[in-house]
Amino acid sequence: MAASEPQSVGTFDYIIIGAGSAGCVLANRLSDDPANRVLLLEAGGKDNYIWVKIPVGYLYCIGNPRTDWMMKTEAEAGLNGRSLVYPRGRILGGCSSINGMIYMRGQARDYDHWRQLGNTGWGWDDVLPYFMRSEDNATGADDLHGEGGEWRVESQRLSWEILDAFHDACLSAGIPASDDFNRGNNEGVGYFKVNQRRGVRWSSATAFLKPALKRRNLKVLTNAQVDSLKMDGRRVTGVLFRHGNVLKSATAEADTILSAGAIGSPQIMQLSGIGPAALLGQHGITVRHDLPGVGGNLQDHLQIRAIYKVGNTVTLNERARSLFGRARIALEYALRRSGPMSMAPSQLGVFTKSDEALDTPDLQYHVQPLSLDAFGQPLHEFPAITASVCNLRPQSRGSVTIRSTDPGDKPLIRPNYLSTPGDRMVAANSLRLTRRIMAQAPLAPFTPQEYLPGIEFESDEDLAKKAGDIGTTIFHPVGTARMGSDADAVVDDQLHVHGIDGLRVVDASIMPTITSGNTNSPTVMIAEKGADMILKQARSPRR
């Protein structure tokens, strides 16, 4: 073999690029048939880092190059010129190995809207069976929940007096109680369910990939950075990738499947000559297929982090500040797998409306018994809570575009937050609603005082501007390979890339519009449905 030729790792029926939330599901489902030869490529490493397993370990995984791609957005006008850190999982399990572990499907309206946009088979009634298929709900099965699947769902294992008071304050403000946000309309206040098993993180790698690793027809390579897709005319035939500093290749006889996420999947397509012709031309990339929508339609949930000082209670700020407090927290987790080390980044959730004229909630709160200046910074020295609120249905649209022809270069990420008058108005109204909740009688014993954004800001303009100062991503990028049939759509409702044979996208990037809540479990659902489509349409494998 000439030195310039890539080393072949073989021929497979399916090549899956990305072992994140979607890729691990696909690897399990496609390799379940021993006749299918499956290759799973992951650019990150293995998930054998102790802080991946301990729920509070997200503090040590996000911002850690061992587990996070360490991406950042470009400076955002809507954030008053700020750039945000943009965590993406660099590990088996992808973002499910470093995220907030919240089990959330979104609302029935989200998926019915996808179907109304022309995506047949993607309404709520169509996707619900796929949520239920993989679910293992600790409370058991019913007409809307599954039991016995791979994706474990449990209640959290901790309690905070101040969060209970916030819950009761929401009731006083007219928001109903909810003990289940996953029944189609998630309006209400209650505690989030989490993807954990007895106080340990339950990632997609743990749930779906590890049970399949013993299968002889599944090959998994970590630290495998994709260079580009191999193409024969308009057909993708496999992939070129770097593994151990060696250029290698693999051939797919059926499908190559992009599951590299809303940032990685469009980047790989653009590097391979599939994308907006003008962008590819700027970088000297041969245009294999002019597909304008690749990398467009980026949507994300911007959380506006209102902070209130409180008194007459204990928050994590004090518990974690002293050596004794930290030792007690560690002992509680060691003995019972409970307490602060078992907690998701957010414990209490609220879904409500910024305008009563709306049919369904457009706001989500993530309420935390702690406060800090920014993620990765120390906790404040005073007792406080954070009531983060996000617009579930942002109008703003951004983009992901390659920075250069080097696959190792992080792409340009431009979420375009708060770029529409509607988004700025929702931001202002959500901060007013937060103030109304904090002024309710159940919170009065704790003497809440607004720390951020500050009571001096009252007008729509001032509150929207302050939202840009205190807002940050809640790590839900979607939509950059949008499903649809119009000129800017990237995949059809079977997740085939328009105009290209042998290539599908199966991850959060296919969402036409963002779901109303945390996006991890909808991504698992997309992979379940995608695997079903692939298997149903599979041709007889050649041997």
Side-chain angles (χ1 to χ4, degrees):
M1 178 184 291
S4 60
E5 293 181 358
Q7 292 182 8
S8 173
V9 299
T11 298
F12 303 83
D13 296 293
Y14 302 104
I15 299 174
I16 305 164
I17 299 172
S21 297
C24 289
V25 176
L26 288 166
N28 182 303
R29 300 305 188 223
L30 298 182
S31 67
D32 190 48
D33 182 347
N36 289 331
R37 300 160 297 172
V38 180
L39 173 65
L40 177 62
L41 300 176
E42 168 54 41
K46 295 181 179 179
D47 63 336
N48 53 0
Y49 184 42
I50 183 60
W51 287 114
V52 170
K53 311 304 179 184
I54 299 172
V56 80
Y58 70 90
L59 291 170
Y60 306 100
C61 292
I62 293 175
N64 181 345
R66 176 175 179 172
T67 49
D68 180 3
W69 283 106
M70 308 288 288
M71 293 182 179
K72 297 185 73 174
T73 70
E74 298 303 292
E76 288 279 298
L79 303 186
N80 306 317
R82 292 190 301 131
S83 173
L84 300 181
V85 295
Y86 217 67
R88 297 284 86 199
R90 186 180 188 175
I91 187 173
L92 289 176
C95 290
S96 75
S97 291
I98 68 171
N99 70 359
M101 297 162 282
I102 292 173
Y103 179 72
M104 189 65 58
R105 296 172 174 176
Q107 301 181 68
R109 173 201 180 279
D110 302 331
Y111 304 101
D112 288 344
H113 180 58
W114 292 6
R115 183 171 55 194
Q116 291 162 7
L117 291 173
N119 298 299
T120 302
W122 289 91
W124 172 251
D125 291 341
D126 302 308
V127 303
L128 179 59
Y130 293 101
F131 280 113
M132 294 175 66
R133 171 186 291 180
S134 55
E135 186 179 7
D136 183 23
N137 199 299
T139 60
D142 61 20
D143 58 331
L144 289 170
H145 287 291
E147 183 180 20
E150 294 86 355
W151 201 223
R152 183 67 173 175
V153 179
E154 294 186 354
S155 297
Q156 298 183 68
R157 303 162 70 89
L158 72 168
S159 176
W160 294 88
E161 179 186 41
I162 191 65
L163 296 186
D164 291 341
F166 192 99
H167 174 282
D168 293 344
C170 287
L171 300 182
S172 294
I175 299 170
S178 175
D179 61 359
D180 187 352
F181 290 133
N182 292 293
R183 303 188 72 84
N185 183 343
N186 50 21
E187 186 167 14
V189 55
Y191 284 89
F192 291 123
K193 298 295 192 291
V194 290
N195 293 119
Q196 294 180 11
R197 184 180 287 279
R198 294 187 290 275
V200 176
R201 176 188 291 273
W202 201 250
S203 71
S204 65
T206 301
F208 294 97
L209 183 59
K210 291 192 175 175
L213 289 176
K214 62 182 180 293
R215 298 172 184 165
R216 299 182 63 182
N217 61 325
L218 173 62
K219 184 179 182 69
V220 180
L221 295 178
T222 55
N223 300 303
Q225 174 75 56
V226 169
D227 269 18
S228 64
L229 303 170
K230 295 195 301 179
M231 297 186 68
D232 181 4
R234 289 288 184 92
R235 179 172 182 81
V236 171
T237 60
V239 62
L240 294 171
F241 62 99
R242 301 272 169 184
H243 188 235
N245 294 320
V246 176
L247 181 62
K248 297 183 179 182
S249 71
T251 299
E253 291 195 337
D255 284 327
T256 299
I257 306 162
L258 282 169
S259 295
I263 308 302
S265 288
Q267 179 187 23
I268 291 168
M269 281 192 279
Q270 292 169 6
L271 289 170
S272 304
I274 302 169
L279 170 69
L280 304 181
Q282 290 172 16
H283 294 282
I285 296 173
T286 300
V287 179
R288 308 303 294 267
H289 182 41
D290 180 10
L291 198 54
V294 174
N297 193 50
L298 174 63
Q299 297 160 61
D300 189 14
H301 289 143
L302 180 73
Q303 62 170 341
I304 302 169
R305 299 177 59 255
I307 295 174
Y308 286 78
K309 294 181 177 181
V310 294
N312 306 316
T313 191
V314 175
T315 70
L316 188 61
N317 289 8
E318 306 93 86
R319 289 194 64 183
R321 189 160 62 241
S322 70
L323 180 61
F324 174 78
R326 292 194 296 273
R328 185 176 175 182
I329 288 170
L331 184 62
E332 183 176 3
Y333 186 76
L335 294 177
R336 297 195 295 270
R337 293 291 185 264
S338 64
M341 287 186 70
S342 74
M343 75 184 203
S346 301
Q347 299 80 53
L348 184 70
V350 187
F351 288 86
T352 190
K353 302 170 185 175
S354 66
D355 184 337
E356 283 304 315
L358 295 171
D359 291 332
T360 57
D362 68 329
L363 297 179
Q364 179 183 8
Y365 281 85
H366 294 77
V367 190
Q368 307 156 325
L370 55 87
S371 67
L372 37 73
D373 287 332
F375 191 86
Q377 297 297 310
L379 296 172
H380 289 144
E381 295 186 358
F382 49 81
I385 64 169
T386 301
S388 292
V389 59
C390 67
N391 179 356
L392 292 171
R393 294 193 282 272
Q395 299 170 350
S396 300
R397 299 290 184 268
S399 63
V400 174
T401 56
I402 52 174
R403 190 182 301 270
S404 73
T405 58
D406 182 354
D409 265 1
K410 299 178 178 66
L412 298 165
I413 304 171
R414 300 183 178 94
N416 213 19
Y417 297 119
L418 298 175
S419 61
T420 72
D423 284 357
R424 292 192 291 274
M425 180 56 71
V426 170
N429 287 341
S430 66
L431 285 169
R432 291 194 181 97
L433 176 59
T434 306
R435 287 172 173 171
R436 185 160 71 87
I437 294 170
M438 296 302 299
Q440 298 299 311
L443 281 165
F446 306 102
T447 62
Q449 297 179 337
E450 185 173 319
Y451 178 71
L452 289 175
I455 58 174
E456 64 271 27
F457 302 104
E458 295 183 349
S459 70
D460 292 345
E461 183 179 356
D462 284 350
L463 286 174
K465 187 174 188 301
K466 288 304 295 182
D469 287 336
I470 64 177
T472 185
T473 177
I474 204 162
F475 321 138
H476 296 164
V478 307
T480 51
R482 177 170 64 84
M483 177 171 55
S485 56
D486 59 280
D488 287 324
V490 176
V491 300
D492 63 19
D493 57 23
Q494 297 292 305
L495 308 185
H496 298 109
V497 173
H498 288 299
I500 297 291
D501 293 329
L503 180 64
R504 300 194 200 222
V505 182
V506 185
D507 58 28
S509 65
I510 68 97
M511 293 188 188
T513 51
I514 194 166
T515 53
S516 298
N518 310 75
T519 53
N520 190 230
S521 288
T523 302
V524 170
M525 177 278 293
I526 288 168
E528 285 279 24
K529 186 169 172 60
D532 207 22
M533 291 173 171
I534 292 165
L535 292 170
K536 284 181 178 177
Q537 297 181 15
R539 58 178 175 78
S540 298
R542 292 178 294 181
R543 293 290 186 265

